[in-house]
Amino acid sequence: MQDRIALWCAAQRRLLQAERLGKSQSLTVSFRGAVDQMENTHCGITVVTFSLSKGSAQKCNLLKERSPVNVVPIDTEGRVRKRAKPLSGTVRSKGADSVTISFKGSFSQISLSVDENVEISPVENEITFKRLFHTLDTVEKAVAEGDLMARPLFMFRLMFREPGGDDLPNITSLGDLSPPTLSSEPAIPLNASQKRAVQAALDAAEFHLIHGPPGTGKTSTICEIVRCSLQSGKRILLCAPSNCAVDNALLKIIHSHCVPKGIELLRFGDSERMDDQLSAFSLHQLVHNRDGYDLIKQVEKEITRAEKKQHYREKTALLTEKKRRLSNLRRTCLAGANLVACTLNSAGHPQLDKEMFDLCIIDEASQALAVESCIAIAKARKVILVGDPMQLPPVTLSNQSELEISLMETLVAKHAFNGKHFTHLDVQYRMHEAISRWSSGEFYDGKIRTDPSIESLLLSDMDGIQETYETAQPIMFCDTSDYGFREYTDGGGRSKMNMGEVDIAVAHITRLLAAGVPAADIGVITPYSAQAAHISRGLAELGIEGGKVEVNTVDAFQGREKLVVVLSLVRNNDTHDIGFLGERRRLNVAMTRARRHLLVIGDVHTASFSAFMQRLWDFVEENAAFVDLG
């Protein structure tokens, strides 16, 4: 086993080095704009909205939400102001011609003013890669020392163990298992497959896999596992690959009342990268609320006094004292937290080095790099992986397929597990049955059932929404083959767009809004960021706020849903080049975000040479209502 682990680590190191290079090369673009508005939030965060110049707005799609940026003041000629220092911030949201960024500190500390011109530049978070490489170093050290039972090698004992005698249970065989009896009534109503998953996860000695196709209640299942584990005195590390996924899971746990009284929660990580609703559970806020923080404030007053009197030796001693007291309070808060939630990479933060947990739950595990998963797994006695290998893999820039193989995909595909290690969730609660049908048949052997309570619900069934041709249809399809809508490459040569599809999407949304569909319940999904930017601008030109109708790429919608989804596929060419459309898992995500209404816009002719896409066309032609372009 040592040789296989060593080879795996060497391969991962090469792949990560190439990924880091690819990421660095992608960060050469910058954006110009001006400060539009500023506001202070709690937890010492200032939120600033910048209006972007016309040229920068056209490439705004290259800015990623919750990604780090540097902002520096510039003069009217675009030159950096004298003595101006870059401000480190995090992208919170984007509009058609604006971007909102959060900064640590107050107005005076960040030194920006309304109407001030700035340059915004994406930056690489070098710490991310340092932690990944450090994890590989730790694994290689354990291998060199021959300690195969070391906790960092637990993941590899799962990956490389010899196959057993039983096959991985298939979807059809799981229906024969009787639902378990849980120790108490669930906080959230669960179906039979969810109850099996909870019981199996609680009974597992070291690990369990929960396979959750779209809309099957993965997060509800996690909530019940967390509730039962906390009730039995277990300490839990809840992780996911992204801040957004961590926040979604933790908010569901809190809102579902799955945390017993007296249990302390900690949302670990940078405050400006977490949901505002969770700032009260950040380490920063918990430290401020702790007994003993008043002594730190007293030390701060002494520091100010010493500085005024120029007693620099005394000031240095006081700063050391403040640092020591803060460190002690942070350790106390960490040690007292029964449920710690953070990204997989943040689990490698030095402040968590000595923390151990009874259980580690990894949500969206199929989107996590295998090395990232190893960081969190090494901190717990048992691990539960929750995800779906049929949805998006880890997001990479270097297009290296080996790096996109998650730990969950490896364990599901390679191992001969029996039923006690693997549970499949089989009832979906998100979509109209017609919307769910294609995904169930194409990816899940037709075994996903739709709960009767939502299987036939339409937009027109909702209060305040008129019955129109559009609102009475669960699926609509617009074939652009005969209309000459050609795809184009954006100015930077990085992405694709199709202006004909932009017009169709905007017109359809306009009709839905007129029928009473709330803008915030409409989402537009496209595989290409340039197309997303043009649709946002098209909506803005009609006075429809882009921030209300969400327009984004497939990747940004993973794990989320909307009442209405408009899917713009973009590709239209004579060479039958379908690009991203050939990625089955990406299209599975795109087709399963809508709850009651889905419009698919695409060119049948371009994609007809793909057997996969032809099956999709056959489905929509049989099940969808058609959009007539006149």
Side-chain angles (χ1 to χ4, degrees), residues 264-376:
E264 291 195 29
L265 308 184
L266 169 61
R267 171 59 171 97
F268 186 80
D270 290 336
S271 298
E272 69 267 29
R273 295 190 186 181
M274 65 181 68
D275 191 288
D276 288 342
Q277 298 177 74
L278 294 171
S279 58
F281 302 100
S282 67
L283 185 58
H284 173 88
Q285 195 61 39
L286 293 181
V287 166
H288 276 243
N289 296 340
R290 203 82 183 187
D291 289 342
Y293 189 73
D294 55 336
L295 296 177
I296 292 176
K297 290 196 290 186
Q298 184 61 42
V299 173
E300 288 175 341
K301 291 180 182 178
E302 293 296 316
I303 291 171
T304 301
R305 180 190 58 77
E307 191 171 39
K308 287 180 179 179
K309 292 185 176 183
Q310 298 184 355
H311 294 171
Y312 297 120
R313 185 175 296 178
E314 181 185 1
K315 177 185 173 183
T316 300
L318 288 168
L319 285 170
T320 301
E321 176 66 9
K322 176 186 174 182
K323 183 178 179 180
R324 183 187 67 81
R325 289 182 179 274
L326 271 175
S327 179
N328 288 340
L329 275 183
R330 290 188 184 116
R331 282 198 297 269
T332 300
C333 290
L334 279 169
N338 308 85
L339 173 58
V340 177
C342 64
T343 62
L344 288 163
N345 200 276
S346 293
H349 193 286
Q351 289 182 336
L352 293 179
D353 275 351
K354 296 182 180 180
E355 300 297 321
M356 279 298 295
F357 300 84
D358 301 298
L359 172 63
C360 172
I361 301 173
I362 302 179
D363 192 14
E364 300 291 1
S366 301
Q367 276 199 287
L369 295 172
V371 181
E372 277 187 319
S373 297
C374 187
I375 296 174

Side-chain angles (χ1 to χ4, degrees), residues 109-278:
Q109 290 173 311
I110 66 170
S111 303
L112 287 176
S113 56
V114 174
D115 294 331
E116 185 168 14
N117 294 322
V118 299
E119 183 173 78
I120 303 168
S121 303
V123 295
E124 180 182 344
N125 188 350
E126 183 62 24
I127 293 175
T128 297
F129 285 98
K130 283 183 178 180
R131 288 176 184 161
L132 295 175
F133 287 122
H134 175 70
T135 299
L136 291 175
D137 292 340
T138 302
V139 170
E140 289 172 334
K141 180 181 177 183
V143 170
E145 293 174 351
D147 186 7
L148 293 184
M149 296 308 293
R151 195 62 204 173
L153 299 189
F154 172 57
M155 182 178 88
F156 301 97
R157 294 199 295 276
L158 298 180
M159 289 173 63
F160 299 139
R161 78 173 197 179
E162 293 300 318
D166 299 325
D167 290 331
L168 185 70
N170 57 42
I171 293 171
T172 55
S173 67
L174 290 169
D176 300 327
L177 299 175
S178 58
T181 301
L182 301 181
S183 57
S184 59
E185 189 64 27
I188 303 173
L190 301 177
N191 62 47
S193 66
Q194 289 173 315
K195 289 180 179 180
R196 285 196 296 269
V198 172
Q199 193 67 61
L202 297 175
D203 292 344
E206 288 190 309
F207 75 100
H208 191 73
L209 307 175
I210 299 176
H211 179 206
T216 53
K218 295 187 294 291
T219 310
S220 294
T221 305
I222 288 173
C223 286
E224 187 59 20
I225 294 170
V226 167
R227 185 186 73 88
C228 293
S229 299
L230 290 175
Q231 280 187 338
S232 61
K234 299 292 189 291
R235 192 176 188 219
I236 303 172
L237 177 64
L238 174 66
C239 291
S242 68
N243 282 290
C244 184
V246 173
D247 291 348
N248 287 343
L250 188 56
L251 285 170
K252 176 82 170 182
I253 289 168
I254 293 170
H255 293 158
S256 301
H257 307 290
C258 289
V259 181
K261 289 184 178 180
I263 296 295
E264 291 195 29
L265 308 184
L266 169 61
R267 171 59 171 97
F268 186 80
D270 290 336
S271 298
E272 69 267 29
R273 295 190 186 181
M274 65 181 68
D275 191 288
D276 288 342
Q277 298 177 74
L278 294 171

Side-chain angles (χ1 to χ4, degrees), residues 456-463 465 471 596:
S456 60
L457 293 181
L458 299 168
L459 286 175
S460 56
D461 295 325
M462 298 180 65
D463 291 339
I465 297 180
T471 62
R596 298 198 184 188

Side-chain angles (χ1 to χ4, degrees), residues 57-132:
Q58 291 176 347
K59 57 185 179 181
C60 183
N61 54 287
L62 299 176
L63 280 172
K64 305 302 180 185
E65 292 185 6
R66 303 205 189 195
S67 62
V69 292
N70 279 342
V71 177
V72 61
I74 58 176
D75 60 26
T76 55
E77 301 297 322
R79 295 173 299 219
V80 175
R81 293 188 183 277
K82 289 183 179 180
R83 293 185 292 277
K85 294 182 180 180
L87 301 169
S88 297
T90 300
V91 177
R92 288 172 70 96
S93 61
K94 300 182 295 180
D97 55 5
S98 66
V99 60
T100 300
I101 298 174
S102 60
F103 301 90
K104 286 183 179 177
S106 63
F107 288 167
S108 59
Q109 290 173 311
I110 66 170
S111 303
L112 287 176
S113 56
V114 174
D115 294 331
E116 185 168 14
N117 294 322
V118 299
E119 183 173 78
I120 303 168
S121 303
V123 295
E124 180 182 344
N125 188 350
E126 183 62 24
I127 293 175
T128 297
F129 285 98
K130 283 183 178 180
R131 288 176 184 161
L132 295 175

Side-chain angles (χ1 to χ4, degrees), residues 555-573:
D555 302 67
F557 271 95
Q558 168 86 25
R560 301 177 54 225
E561 62 186 47
K562 288 284 185 178
L563 195 65
V564 172
V565 166
V566 175
L567 174 58
S568 173
L569 298 178
V570 178
R571 301 313 296 260
N572 189 314
N573 56 69

